Each structure stands twice: as structure tokens, then as C-alpha cells.
């Protein structure tokens, strides 16, 4: 039998899902492990189609993006960068991403 989710976990999940900004979590290899609803809309893809894919697979060939983040890859390292992403229909979109490397090396 599954253990019920604690109320505070459910509340945090709801906050992430309803956030007006796109929120994603990447594993240490750059694969999506979490994508909120808004991020899926921004990226022009179904969330389920993004899970397990590498963020670099979405890079657009329509002009350059910022070079790879030079931020520390150590936990607590942060970065801000601009990327050109190709939506599922091929339409390019420019996004600004920022992140922090967590203790388990996810971003």
C-alpha cells in the first residue's frame, strides 16, 4: 500500500505546478527529471515527452546560444544563461535560464 504524501509535500508540488515560470530539474547529465506545466508550454512540448531527454537535444540551430555555463559544478554553484530552444514544431524560442547545482548534483 502506498504511503500518503505528507500535506506539506503536496503543497510544494502544487506551488511548483502552478508557478507562472517554467521550472525544470535536470540530472547531472542534463536530462529532464521534472518539468512543470509552464515549462512544457514555454518549450512547446508535452512534459512527458521531455522527461529523460537531454536539454541539449532541444537546442536550436537558429543562431548561437550563450556558451555553456561557466558556473561551478560544485553544489551551490549558480548560473544564468540565454538559450535558443527549438519547439516541437521547429519554432525557435529564446529563453533565459538560471539554476543552482544542488547537493546531489541536479540542477
Amino acid at each position: 500500500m502506498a504511503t500518503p504524501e505528507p500535506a506539506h509535500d503536496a503543497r510544494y508540488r502544487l506551488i511548483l505546478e502552478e508557478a507562472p515560470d517554467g521550472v525544470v530539474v535536470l540530472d547531472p547529465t542534463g536530462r529532464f527529471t521534472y518539468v512543470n506545466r509552464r515549462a512544457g508550454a514555454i518549450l512547446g512540448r508535452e512534459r512527458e515527452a521531455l522527461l529523460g531527454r537531454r536539454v541539449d537535444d532541444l537546442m536550436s540551430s537558429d543562431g548561437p546560444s550563450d556558451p555553456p555555463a561557466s558556473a561551478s559544478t560544485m553544489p551551490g554553484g549558480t548560473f544564468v544563461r540565454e538559450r535558443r530552444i527549438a519547439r516541437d514544431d521547429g519554432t525557435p524560442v529564446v529563453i533565459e535560464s538560471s539554476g543552482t547545482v544542488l547537493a546531489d548534483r541536479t540542477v
Side-chain angles (χ1 to χ4, degrees):
M1 181 174 193
T3 304
E5 188 174 30
H8 64 276
D9 287 353
R11 178 97 172 130
Y12 293 141
R13 184 170 301 280
L14 179 63
I15 290 168
L16 285 173
E17 286 301 317
E18 298 300 323
D21 295 320
V23 177
V24 302
V25 176
L26 304 175
D27 73 10
T29 67
R31 294 185 188 280
F32 292 98
T33 61
Y34 174 79
V35 179
N36 77 347
R37 184 176 55 182
R38 182 67 181 133
I42 291 168
L43 298 173
R45 289 178 162 75
E46 294 293 323
R47 294 186 297 176
E48 293 76 19
L50 291 166
L51 295 174
R53 288 190 64 187
R54 289 181 43 84
V55 70
D56 292 342
D57 294 343
L58 306 181
M59 301 306 287
S60 172
S61 60
D62 181 35
S65 291
D66 284 351
S70 59
S72 169
T73 58
M74 298 300 292
T78 62
F79 64 88
V80 176
R81 65 184 290 196
E82 188 174 279
R83 293 175 174 247
R84 292 181 191 279
I85 300 290
R87 290 185 174 175
D88 212 19
D89 65 4
T91 305
V93 62
V94 177
I95 62 168
E96 180 181 88
S97 60
S98 62
T100 299
V101 180
L102 302 177
D104 64 359
R105 303 235 188 244
T106 58
V107 177

